[in-house]
Short mmCIF file of all heavy atoms in Angstrom, two decimals:
data_model
loop_
_atom_site.label_atom_id
_atom_site.label_comp_id
_atom_site.label_asym_id
_atom_site.label_seq_id
_atom_site.Cartn_x
_atom_site.Cartn_y
_atom_site.Cartn_z
N THR A 776 -18.10 10.43 -18.07
CA THR A 776 -18.58 10.48 -16.73
C THR A 776 -17.64 9.79 -15.79
O THR A 776 -17.58 8.54 -15.84
CB THR A 776 -20.04 9.99 -16.59
OG1 THR A 776 -20.91 10.69 -17.38
CG2 THR A 776 -20.49 10.08 -15.12
N PRO A 777 -16.90 10.37 -14.89
CA PRO A 777 -16.02 9.70 -13.91
C PRO A 777 -16.88 8.85 -12.91
O PRO A 777 -17.98 9.25 -12.63
CB PRO A 777 -15.29 10.83 -13.28
CG PRO A 777 -15.37 11.98 -14.19
CD PRO A 777 -16.71 11.85 -14.86
N ALA A 778 -16.20 7.81 -12.41
CA ALA A 778 -16.88 7.04 -11.45
C ALA A 778 -15.72 6.31 -10.59
O ALA A 778 -14.62 6.41 -10.87
CB ALA A 778 -17.78 6.03 -12.13
N GLY A 779 -16.26 5.50 -9.61
CA GLY A 779 -15.23 4.79 -8.84
C GLY A 779 -15.87 3.63 -8.05
O GLY A 779 -16.95 3.24 -8.19
N LEU A 780 -14.90 2.92 -7.31
CA LEU A 780 -15.32 1.84 -6.49
C LEU A 780 -14.51 1.93 -5.09
O LEU A 780 -13.37 2.28 -5.14
CB LEU A 780 -14.84 0.43 -7.06
CG LEU A 780 -15.63 -0.16 -8.25
CD1 LEU A 780 -14.92 -1.36 -8.82
CD2 LEU A 780 -17.04 -0.54 -7.84
N HIS A 791 -9.07 -4.60 -9.55
CA HIS A 791 -10.27 -4.11 -10.20
C HIS A 791 -9.94 -3.30 -11.51
O HIS A 791 -10.65 -3.40 -12.52
CB HIS A 791 -11.10 -3.32 -9.23
CG HIS A 791 -11.95 -4.11 -8.38
ND1 HIS A 791 -13.06 -4.82 -8.83
CD2 HIS A 791 -11.87 -4.48 -7.03
CE1 HIS A 791 -13.66 -5.49 -7.83
NE2 HIS A 791 -12.92 -5.29 -6.76
N LEU A 794 -8.72 -5.65 -14.25
CA LEU A 794 -9.89 -6.45 -14.68
C LEU A 794 -10.75 -5.58 -15.56
O LEU A 794 -11.24 -6.07 -16.62
CB LEU A 794 -10.65 -7.09 -13.49
CG LEU A 794 -11.90 -7.85 -13.85
CD1 LEU A 794 -11.54 -9.02 -14.74
CD2 LEU A 794 -12.62 -8.25 -12.61
N ALA A 795 -10.94 -4.40 -15.13
CA ALA A 795 -11.86 -3.45 -16.02
C ALA A 795 -11.25 -3.16 -17.31
O ALA A 795 -11.95 -3.24 -18.40
CB ALA A 795 -12.03 -2.21 -15.19
N TYR A 796 -9.96 -3.04 -17.36
CA TYR A 796 -9.26 -2.73 -18.70
C TYR A 796 -9.34 -3.97 -19.58
O TYR A 796 -9.57 -3.81 -20.78
CB TYR A 796 -7.85 -2.38 -18.46
CG TYR A 796 -7.58 -0.96 -18.04
CD1 TYR A 796 -6.94 -0.68 -16.77
CD2 TYR A 796 -8.12 0.15 -18.76
CE1 TYR A 796 -6.84 0.67 -16.36
CE2 TYR A 796 -7.94 1.40 -18.36
CZ TYR A 796 -7.33 1.71 -17.24
OH TYR A 796 -7.17 3.07 -16.63
N GLU A 798 -11.64 -6.37 -19.56
CA GLU A 798 -13.05 -6.49 -20.11
C GLU A 798 -13.42 -5.43 -20.99
O GLU A 798 -14.13 -5.69 -22.06
CB GLU A 798 -13.99 -6.53 -18.87
CG GLU A 798 -13.86 -7.68 -17.93
CD GLU A 798 -13.92 -9.02 -18.60
OE1 GLU A 798 -15.11 -9.44 -18.86
OE2 GLU A 798 -12.96 -9.69 -18.91
N TYR A 799 -12.95 -4.18 -20.76
CA TYR A 799 -13.31 -3.07 -21.69
C TYR A 799 -12.61 -3.26 -23.01
O TYR A 799 -13.19 -2.98 -24.01
CB TYR A 799 -12.87 -1.75 -20.98
CG TYR A 799 -13.28 -0.50 -21.75
CD1 TYR A 799 -14.67 -0.17 -21.76
CD2 TYR A 799 -12.37 0.29 -22.44
CE1 TYR A 799 -15.10 0.96 -22.43
CE2 TYR A 799 -12.78 1.44 -23.12
CZ TYR A 799 -14.08 1.76 -23.11
OH TYR A 799 -14.49 2.95 -23.78
N ALA A 802 -14.45 -5.80 -24.99
CA ALA A 802 -15.80 -5.36 -25.51
C ALA A 802 -15.55 -4.28 -26.62
O ALA A 802 -16.42 -4.24 -27.58
CB ALA A 802 -16.58 -4.78 -24.38
N PHE A 947 -12.24 6.11 -11.98
CA PHE A 947 -12.04 5.89 -13.48
C PHE A 947 -12.47 7.29 -14.07
O PHE A 947 -13.50 7.86 -13.66
CB PHE A 947 -12.89 4.78 -13.97
CG PHE A 947 -12.45 3.42 -13.51
CD1 PHE A 947 -13.02 3.03 -12.23
CD2 PHE A 947 -11.55 2.66 -14.18
CE1 PHE A 947 -12.67 1.72 -11.71
CE2 PHE A 947 -11.23 1.35 -13.59
CZ PHE A 947 -11.82 0.93 -12.41
N ASP A 949 -13.87 7.29 -16.91
CA ASP A 949 -15.02 6.94 -17.67
C ASP A 949 -15.81 5.85 -16.99
O ASP A 949 -15.23 4.77 -16.80
CB ASP A 949 -14.58 6.50 -19.09
CG ASP A 949 -15.74 6.26 -20.07
OD1 ASP A 949 -16.91 6.31 -19.67
OD2 ASP A 949 -15.48 6.05 -21.23
N LYS A 950 -17.05 6.03 -16.65
CA LYS A 950 -17.83 5.09 -16.03
C LYS A 950 -17.88 3.81 -16.86
O LYS A 950 -18.04 2.67 -16.25
CB LYS A 950 -19.24 5.59 -15.79
CG LYS A 950 -20.17 4.59 -15.19
CD LYS A 950 -21.64 5.09 -15.21
CE LYS A 950 -21.80 6.15 -14.07
NZ LYS A 950 -23.26 6.51 -13.92
N ALA A 951 -17.74 3.90 -18.19
CA ALA A 951 -17.92 2.66 -18.98
C ALA A 951 -16.76 1.71 -18.71
O ALA A 951 -16.97 0.53 -18.81
CB ALA A 951 -17.89 3.12 -20.48
N ILE A 952 -15.58 2.22 -18.41
CA ILE A 952 -14.50 1.29 -18.07
C ILE A 952 -14.77 0.59 -16.78
O ILE A 952 -14.59 -0.61 -16.64
CB ILE A 952 -13.14 2.11 -17.93
CG1 ILE A 952 -12.83 2.84 -19.28
CG2 ILE A 952 -12.02 1.14 -17.63
CD1 ILE A 952 -11.59 3.74 -19.27
N ARG A 953 -15.17 1.39 -15.75
CA ARG A 953 -15.50 0.70 -14.46
C ARG A 953 -16.54 -0.30 -14.63
O ARG A 953 -16.51 -1.43 -14.15
CB ARG A 953 -15.94 1.72 -13.44
CG ARG A 953 -16.33 1.18 -12.08
CD ARG A 953 -17.16 2.01 -11.28
NE ARG A 953 -18.56 2.23 -11.88
CZ ARG A 953 -19.48 2.91 -11.35
NH1 ARG A 953 -19.23 3.57 -10.15
NH2 ARG A 953 -20.60 3.04 -11.92
N ASN A 954 -17.67 0.01 -15.39
CA ASN A 954 -18.78 -0.87 -15.52
C ASN A 954 -18.52 -2.15 -16.26
O ASN A 954 -19.14 -3.14 -16.18
CB ASN A 954 -19.93 -0.12 -16.21
CG ASN A 954 -20.52 0.87 -15.31
OD1 ASN A 954 -20.07 1.21 -14.26
ND2 ASN A 954 -21.65 1.59 -15.80
N ALA A 955 -17.36 -2.14 -17.07
CA ALA A 955 -17.00 -3.30 -17.78
C ALA A 955 -16.67 -4.50 -16.93
O ALA A 955 -16.87 -5.64 -17.34
CB ALA A 955 -15.80 -2.97 -18.71
N GLN A 956 -16.25 -4.25 -15.69
CA GLN A 956 -15.80 -5.38 -14.86
C GLN A 956 -17.02 -5.80 -13.85
O GLN A 956 -16.81 -6.59 -12.99
CB GLN A 956 -14.65 -5.13 -14.00
CG GLN A 956 -14.52 -3.79 -13.34
CD GLN A 956 -15.06 -3.91 -11.90
OE1 GLN A 956 -14.51 -4.55 -11.07
NE2 GLN A 956 -16.21 -3.19 -11.63
N TYR A 957 -18.21 -5.09 -14.00
CA TYR A 957 -19.36 -5.60 -13.28
C TYR A 957 -19.67 -7.06 -13.53
O TYR A 957 -19.46 -7.56 -14.65
CB TYR A 957 -20.67 -4.81 -13.61
CG TYR A 957 -20.70 -3.45 -13.04
CD1 TYR A 957 -19.81 -2.91 -12.18
CD2 TYR A 957 -21.83 -2.62 -13.33
CE1 TYR A 957 -19.92 -1.63 -11.56
CE2 TYR A 957 -21.94 -1.42 -12.73
CZ TYR A 957 -21.06 -0.92 -11.93
OH TYR A 957 -21.15 0.38 -11.37
N PHE A 958 -20.14 -7.79 -12.44
CA PHE A 958 -20.48 -9.18 -12.76
C PHE A 958 -21.94 -9.43 -12.61
O PHE A 958 -22.54 -8.97 -11.61
CB PHE A 958 -19.70 -10.11 -11.74
CG PHE A 958 -20.00 -11.61 -11.87
CD1 PHE A 958 -19.45 -12.30 -12.93
CD2 PHE A 958 -20.91 -12.26 -11.07
CE1 PHE A 958 -19.69 -13.68 -13.13
CE2 PHE A 958 -21.26 -13.54 -11.26
CZ PHE A 958 -20.60 -14.26 -12.28
N HIS A 959 -22.52 -10.17 -13.53
CA HIS A 959 -23.97 -10.48 -13.51
C HIS A 959 -24.13 -11.98 -13.76
O HIS A 959 -23.57 -12.58 -14.58
CB HIS A 959 -24.70 -9.77 -14.64
CG HIS A 959 -24.46 -8.27 -14.69
ND1 HIS A 959 -25.11 -7.35 -13.91
CD2 HIS A 959 -23.63 -7.54 -15.44
CE1 HIS A 959 -24.70 -6.18 -14.15
NE2 HIS A 959 -23.76 -6.24 -15.12
N SER A 970 -22.98 -7.94 -8.95
CA SER A 970 -21.91 -7.46 -8.10
C SER A 970 -21.11 -6.49 -8.72
O SER A 970 -20.56 -6.76 -9.85
CB SER A 970 -21.16 -8.64 -7.53
OG SER A 970 -20.02 -8.21 -6.71
N PRO A 971 -20.82 -5.34 -8.20
CA PRO A 971 -20.03 -4.27 -8.84
C PRO A 971 -18.54 -4.61 -8.69
O PRO A 971 -17.69 -4.07 -9.45
CB PRO A 971 -20.38 -2.95 -8.16
CG PRO A 971 -20.80 -3.39 -6.76
CD PRO A 971 -21.52 -4.76 -6.99
N GLY A 972 -18.18 -5.46 -7.75
CA GLY A 972 -16.81 -5.79 -7.50
C GLY A 972 -16.60 -7.25 -7.10
O GLY A 972 -17.58 -8.03 -7.15
#
Side-chain angles (χ1 to χ4, degrees):
T776 302
L780 284 172
H791 276 289
L794 177 60
Y796 283 122
E798 297 301 285
Y799 187 70
F947 299 85
D949 186 352
K950 179 187 284 190
I952 303 175
R953 181 201 64 179
N954 290 7
Q956 53 88 66
Y957 280 0
F958 180 78
H959 308 279
S970 175

